[in-house]
Structures are given as C-alpha cells and as structure tokens.
Amino acid sequence: TSTASGRCDRVVEFATTVTDNCGADVVCEPPSGSVFALGTNTVTCTATDTSGNQKTCAFLVIVLDTERPAIACPADITVNTEPGRCDAVTTFAVNASDNCALATLVCVPPSGNRFSKGVTTVTCTATDASGNTTNCSFRVTVNDPEPPTIICPQNLVLHTEPGFCSARATFSPQ
C-alpha cells in the first residue's frame, strides 16, 4: 500500500480468517487498523482454540512512498549587470518538502551563480528518499543598463589641402 497523503505512514486494515472444529479466536500484532510505518512491517497472528491449541502465521504489510515532493520556485527574477561586467551574481530561494524525507534539491544553474546578460531558465528538481521527483522552473533576466564609455579626441583644426576645398582628417575614438 502507499503512504497516506501528506504522511509517511498508513492506517492499514486487514481481515484474518480462523476455523476450528470447536471454535477459535485470532489475535494479530499489530492489530488491523494500526498505523504502519514506511517500509516492511511484519504482522503475526495467533489462533487459539477453546482447548488452548495454537497456530501462528505471519504476513508483511509493505508501505511505499509514492507521493512526490512539493516544490515552489520563485517568480521570474530581473536584475542588472554588475558595474563593468556583462553578468550578475543572482541568488534565489526554492522551497521543497516531502511527506517522508527530502533527499536532494538541485537547481541548474544554482543560486549564487553568475548569470550572463539575457534570459536564463533555471530548472529545480526535488527528489525524496524513495526516488520520487518534482520539477519547477523560472527565468532569470539580466539587463545591461550601463552605457558605454567613449573618449573623443581633441578638437582638430585643419587647413585645406593645396588646390582643394577640403582636408583629410584622421583620428581614433577611444
């Protein structure tokens, strides 16, 4: 059986049948209706007839975690490039939980990573101890609001070339 929703165990009910020529009662440990933990649980039942004769049997109740983890990504994030750079370190928080045990929470690229100018999709995956996974994603947009720098040359005063009404000027902006 699977764990109950939001829990790491399950209440399990079962029926046992006993027959005897003079009548008998059966007692199981743990009894039907008990809470069974995740994993393999042994139930031992003992039938006792009115003469005190006993017979025992056992069976397993296996509780599996089939519930996927819950995960919540942040809304899309927009940041500006760092001064003098074409990227920005961006941090974010992703929340994940599980009914039993969360094993890993991985985001690609991870929080605290340098994100290049433009749009990057971040995909996060939560995995529980039973191998169930859930994904979420969001976008990190890095804008470049920094204007370029330019240094113009000094003003040039030129004389026309002989026989022409113009002059050839050469310069390099920096």
Side-chain angles (χ1 to χ4, degrees):
T1 188
S2 294
T3 57
S5 180
R7 296 183 51 96
C8 197
D9 54 24
R10 175 113 197 174
V11 172
V12 177
E13 295 191 18
F14 52 86
T16 53
T17 305
V18 62
T19 58
D20 185 74
N21 59 333
C22 294
D25 292 319
V26 65
V27 175
C28 295
E29 259 322 300
S32 177
S34 294
V35 175
F36 288 84
L38 176 70
T40 302
N41 302 270
T42 301
V43 177
T44 303
C45 297
T46 302
T48 306
D49 69 12
T50 55
S51 298
N53 299 311
Q54 290 186 331
K55 185 76 172 195
T56 301
C57 70
F59 63 94
L60 302 176
V61 173
I62 301 170
V63 180
L64 304 172
D65 175 17
T66 57
E67 187 172 334
R68 298 185 324 164
I71 188 170
C73 278
D76 291 346
I77 299 170
T78 300
V79 297
N80 290 332
T81 55
E82 294 174 8
R85 297 190 57 104
C86 197
D87 59 13
V89 171
T90 305
T91 59
F92 50 83
V94 176
N95 297 313
S97 62
D98 189 63
N99 61 316
C100 289
L102 191 64
T104 60
L105 174 59
V106 177
C107 294
V108 178
S111 178
N113 196 56
R114 285 204 168 273
F115 287 77
S116 297
K117 183 184 92 158
V119 179
T120 302
T121 299
V122 177
T123 301
C124 299
T125 303
T127 305
D128 69 14
S130 296
N132 302 307
T133 62
T134 304
N135 299 317
C136 68
S137 61
F138 61 98
R139 292 184 308 239
V140 173
T141 301
V142 179
N143 293 322
D144 177 15
E146 188 174 340
T149 58
I150 187 169
I151 299 172
C152 291
Q154 296 289 330
N155 292 337
L156 300 174
V157 177
L158 303 172
H159 298 286
T160 59
E161 295 182 23
F164 290 95
C165 259
S166 61
R168 183 174 306 264
T170 58
F171 58 89
S172 293
Q174 297 178 359

